[in-house]
Amino acid sequence: MRLRNIKGCRDKIAENAFVVHNPQEYQNNWDKVFHTKRPLYLEIGTGKGKFITELAIKNPENQYIGIEKFSSVLIRALEKREILEIDNLLFLRMDAEEIVNVFGKEEVDGIYLNFSDPWPKDRHAKRRLTSKRFLDRYQQILKPKGTVIFKTDNQELFDFSLEQAKLANWKILNMTYDLHHSKYVEGNIMTEYEEKFLKEGKPICRMEICF
Ligand code: SAM
């Protein structure tokens, strides 16, 4: 998702109290940033932030970080965040390529990937957030029982991700090609993209994996 450039959004993000700037400085110290020790969950490619905001409101016992690479998208998530009185949700404007420089070994309890960009050309496969290259990185920062939960409408990307998980020696804990007609829908929080695809009648695939 890349929205039309919004004038001044980079400056607004630079001043925003809910965005952590220079996140490399906090590697292994995220509890200090939140001022409490709670399980830490990430959403990578958070978009306009609906999913992670609702998740943080529902689960005050956890802390959440939404990671988004484009300012023009992140600004929408920050608009949602600013009107809430919660203490467990922060954002990073960052490319997920940097993730192992920002989070320490076993610092993260779980990762959500929602409707990640498919990068359909083969030569771009390593940019997919569910490629082995990224799974290896997640393994470096996740706790041993930590999981990655991935949702997509794109069955090709989903099948690719299953293959990559096996290649990286991850376990498939559960999976469905039609989340909204499965038992895994209970407690599901819809993302912006999910709402759109569901209205179009597209089935949503979901997997939960761990290493
Ligand atoms: N998760 C949201 C949803 O489900 O509604 C947005 C989905 S959108 C298709 C994918 C988002 O991931 C975009 O906002 C894009 O900028 C972001 N993204 C893609 N690759 C990324 C990366 N390497 N690091 C951080 N964000 C990324």
Side-chain angles (χ1 to χ4, degrees):
M1 184 193 313
R2 188 170 190 173
L3 297 184
R4 186 171 47 86
N5 187 38
I6 299 172
K7 203 169 168 243
C9 73
R10 271 195 172 246
D11 293 342
K12 281 189 192 155
I13 286 171
E15 291 160 9
N16 195 290
F18 299 113
V19 179
V20 180
H21 309 286
N22 306 321
Q24 293 88 342
E25 288 175 18
Y26 303 104
Q27 192 176 35
N28 295 307
N29 276 311
W30 285 97
D31 289 341
K32 289 196 185 130
V33 179
F34 281 97
H35 307 293
T36 53
K37 191 169 172 56
R38 291 174 286 193
L40 175 64
Y41 293 86
L42 313 178
E43 184 190 16
I44 303 178
T46 214
K48 296 184 195 170
K50 175 182 180 292
F51 173 84
I52 196 140
T53 302
E54 286 183 29
L55 197 61
I57 293 169
K58 271 194 176 172
N59 299 284
E61 71 283 10
N62 297 329
Q63 43 209 21
Y64 295 93
I65 297 181
I67 298 174
E68 171 54 52
K69 70 176 171 182
F70 288 124
S71 305
S72 56
V73 188
L74 183 58
I75 198 88
R76 299 300 176 218
L78 293 171
E79 285 165 3
K80 293 185 181 73
R81 175 68 184 89
E82 276 162 4
I83 55 170
L84 294 173
E85 293 205 8
I86 55 175
D87 67 353
N88 64 337
L89 175 59
L90 294 170
F91 292 91
L92 305 181
R93 194 195 63 73
M94 185 186 99
D95 194 312
E97 295 276 348
E98 294 299 318
I99 202 146
V100 293
N101 303 322
V102 167
F103 298 97
K105 189 170 170 349
E106 299 186 10
E107 197 170 20
V108 175
D109 291 78
I111 296 176
Y112 295 93
L113 302 172
N114 291 317
F115 301 86
S116 308
D117 295 337
W119 292 107
K121 290 183 182 149
D122 284 349
R123 68 187 154 90
H124 292 149
K126 66 176 184 179
R127 296 188 194 171
R128 297 174 193 152
L129 293 179
T130 51
S131 63
K132 180 179 180 300
R133 187 167 153 262
F134 272 100
L135 293 176
D136 290 346
R137 290 176 176 155
Y138 305 151
Q139 191 162 343
Q140 288 184 52
I141 60 169
L142 274 173
K143 295 211 167 86
K145 286 194 176 156
T147 62
V148 170
I149 298 182
F150 172 49
K151 292 195 278 186
T152 181
D153 63 306
N154 186 319
Q155 199 177 316
E156 263 179 57
L157 177 64
F158 192 71
D159 288 337
F160 165 86
S161 308
L162 287 172
E163 278 169 25
Q164 295 289 298
K166 286 176 196 156
L167 200 65
N169 284 323
W170 285 48
K171 292 185 265 304
I172 317 291
L173 297 176
N174 56 69
M175 56 163 279
T176 171
Y177 283 101
D178 192 355
L179 171 62
H180 290 270
H181 294 99
S182 80
K183 62 180 178 180
Y184 303 110
V185 75
E186 206 187 311
N188 180 57
I189 294 175
M190 299 251 265
T191 80
E192 272 101 354
Y193 270 62
E194 187 169 355
E195 282 185 338
K196 178 168 108 49
F197 291 133
L198 214 58
K199 271 190 203 141
E200 292 169 8
K202 290 190 180 161
I204 306 301
C205 308
R206 178 190 186 274
M207 67 170 80
E208 184 169 8
I209 58 176
C210 70
F211 58 89

